[in-house]
C-alpha cells in the first residue's frame, strides 16, 4: 500500500515535514522487504520492532499490508496491543466511513479523537481486556 | 558506549544463561563495506548468493542507521536522509526483530560493524557484541600478520568466537 494516512506527533522535537515523512515511509517499505530477504528461516513477515538508543519503533502490519507505527521510549510495554487497538479504531472509524477514500490522508474526526484518547489516557486499563 | 577503560585487557564475557545453538549467522564489516567475516551456524534458507547477501546486509544497515537518525524524537537537528553518518553521530539502532529472527548490531568508533542474527526471543546482546569486539581486537587486530581491510582468517579467533557464540542464550 502506498501513501501515508496519518502522522500524529506527540513529541516536541520529533516533528518531520510531509516530504520527510514520505521519504521515511518509502524507505521503511524497502527495509521491510529487504529484512524478509535476509531471513535465515522461511516465513519472515518483516520488521516488527526496531530498537535504537533513544527510541523504539513498533510496526504492525495488517493482512492487506497496511502498516501502523508507534515511536516510543525504549522499553515501553504493551505497544503491540496498542497497535492492534489502533487497527481496530482504523477499521471502525476510517474504513467503515463511507466518505473516506482509500489511500487518501485520513481526516476522520472520530478516529482522531479516539486515537488521542487511546494514546494519552491510561493505556494499561484500556488494554487490560 | 564504553569501549576503552577498565583495568583488564579484555572484559570478561557476560555470564551465559543457557546453552544451545541460538545463533543463525554473523557478519563483520569494516567502514568501507568489506565483509571481513561471515559465519553461519544455522541457516536453512539462502535467498541470494554470498556477495549479494553481504551487499544487501550492508545496505540495509546503512539505510536503517540513516532512518533512525532522522526519526530520532529527541534530537532537533537532523541531517538529510541518505547522508552518510559518521560512526557515533546521531542516534543509531542496536537491534531489530522480526517474527523469525532478531538482528543485533554494533558499530565501533573505527567503523567496524558487528552483526549477529539470532532467535527472535533473544535478549539484549549489546554486551555480547562488545565482548566479540574484544575478541576481534585481541586475536585479529593485534596479529602482526593480519592486514586491515582483508577477510579474517585467524583460527584462534574463529575458535574463540564459535565457543562464545554457542554459549549465548
Amino acid at each position: 500500500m502506498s501513501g501515508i494516512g496519518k502522522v500524529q506527533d506527540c513529541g516536541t522535537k520529533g516533528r518531520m515535514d510531509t516530504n520527510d515523512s514520505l521519504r521515511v515511509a518509502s524507505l521503511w517499505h524497502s527495509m521491510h522487504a529487504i529484512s524478509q530477504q535476509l531471513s535465515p528461516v522461511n516465513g519472515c513477515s518483516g520488521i516488527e520492532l526496531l530498537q535504537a538508543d533513544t527510541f523504539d519503533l513498533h510496526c504492525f502490519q495488517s493482512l492487506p499490508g497496511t502498516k501502523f507505527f508507534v515511536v516510543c521510549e525504549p522499553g515501553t510495554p504493551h505497544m503491540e496491543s496498542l497497535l492492534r487497538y489502533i487497527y481496530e479504531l482504523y477499521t471502525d472509524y476510517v474504513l467503515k466511513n463511507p466518505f473516506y477514500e482509500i489511500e487518501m490522508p485520513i481526516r476522520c474526526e472520530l478516529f482522531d479523537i479516539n486515537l488521542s484518547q487511546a494514546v494519552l489516557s491510561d493505556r494499561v486499563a484500556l488494554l487490560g481486556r | 558506549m564504553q569501549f576503552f577503560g577498565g583495568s583488564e585487557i579484555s572484559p570478561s564475557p557476560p555470564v551465559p544463561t543457557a546453552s544451545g545453538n541460538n545463533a543463525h549467522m554473523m557478519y563483520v564489516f569494516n567502514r568501507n563495506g568489506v565483509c571481513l567475516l561471515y559465519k553461519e551456524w544455522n541457516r536453512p534458507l539462502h535467498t541470494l548468493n554470498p556477495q549479494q547477501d553481504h551487499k544487501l546486509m550492508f545496505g540495509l544497515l546503512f539505510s536503517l542507521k540513516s532512518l533512525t537518525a532522522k526519526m530520532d524524537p529527541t534530537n532537533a537537528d537532523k541531517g538529510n536522509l541518505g547522508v552518510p553518518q559518521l560512526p557515533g553521530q546521531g542516534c543509531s539502532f542496536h537491534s531489530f526483530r522480526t517474527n523469525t529472527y532478531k538482528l543485533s548490531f554494533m558499530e565501533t568508533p573505527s567503523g567496524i560493524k558487528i552483526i549477529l542474527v539470532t532467535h527472535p526471543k533473544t535478549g539484549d546482546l549489546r554486551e555480547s557484541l562488545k565482548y566479540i569486539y574484544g575478541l576481534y581486537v585481541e586475536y585479529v587486530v593485534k596479529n602482526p600478520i593480519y592486514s586491515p581491510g582483508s577477510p579474517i582468517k585467524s583460527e584462534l579467533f574463529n575458535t574463540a568466537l564459535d565457543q562464545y557464540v554457542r554459549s549465548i542464550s
Side-chain angles (χ1 to χ4, degrees), chain B residues 51-62:
Chain B
Q51 273 70 39
Q52 286 175 319
D53 187 64
H54 299 333
K55 280 192 216 167
L56 201 62
M57 177 59 82
F58 189 78
L60 175 71
L61 297 169
F62 178 87

Side-chain angles (χ1 to χ4, degrees), chain B residues 49-120:
Chain B
N49 75 39
Q51 273 70 39
Q52 286 175 319
D53 187 64
H54 299 333
K55 280 192 216 167
L56 201 62
M57 177 59 82
F58 189 78
L60 175 71
L61 297 169
F62 178 87
S63 308
L64 272 179
K65 270 185 21 132
S66 187
L67 184 125
T68 321
K70 190 75 189 184
M71 288 214 66
D72 185 7
T74 59
N75 184 8
D77 167 44
K78 300 166 217 179
N80 293 313
L81 261 186
V83 173
Q85 305 272 315
L86 292 172
Q89 182 190 41
C91 172
S92 177
F93 78 102
H94 56 80
S95 73
F96 73 75
R97 190 198 73 208
T98 71
N99 60 328
T100 51
Y101 68 95
K102 177 172 180 171
L103 184 142
S104 304
F105 169 75
M106 183 184 87
E107 184 172 24
T108 72
S110 53
I112 301 292
K113 302 181 192 2
I114 302 180
I115 297 105
L116 195 56
V117 177
T118 57
H119 187 271

Side-chain angles (χ1 to χ4, degrees), chain B residues 51 59 68 92 141 153-154 156:
Chain B
Q51 273 70 39
T68 321
S92 177
V141 178
K153 296 214 190 321
S154 161
L156 278 174

Side-chain angles (χ1 to χ4, degrees), chain A residues 40-69:
Chain A
V41 207
N42 258 321
C44 182
S45 63
I47 302 178
E48 292 176 349
L49 167 63
L50 177 82
Q51 290 174 298
D53 302 330
T54 51
F55 68 93
D56 281 356
L57 174 79
H58 293 256
C59 174
F60 169 72
Q61 190 174 218
S62 67
L63 286 165
T66 320
K67 295 181 182 58
F68 297 82
F69 302 93

Side-chain angles (χ1 to χ4, degrees), chain B residues 1 20 25 39 43 45 52 54 73 76 78 80 111 122-123 135:
Chain B
M1 226 203 229
M25 62 249 200
K39 273 202 81 115
R43 188 175 190 179
L45 176 68
Q52 286 175 319
H54 299 333
K78 300 166 217 179
N80 293 313
T122 317
L135 289 179

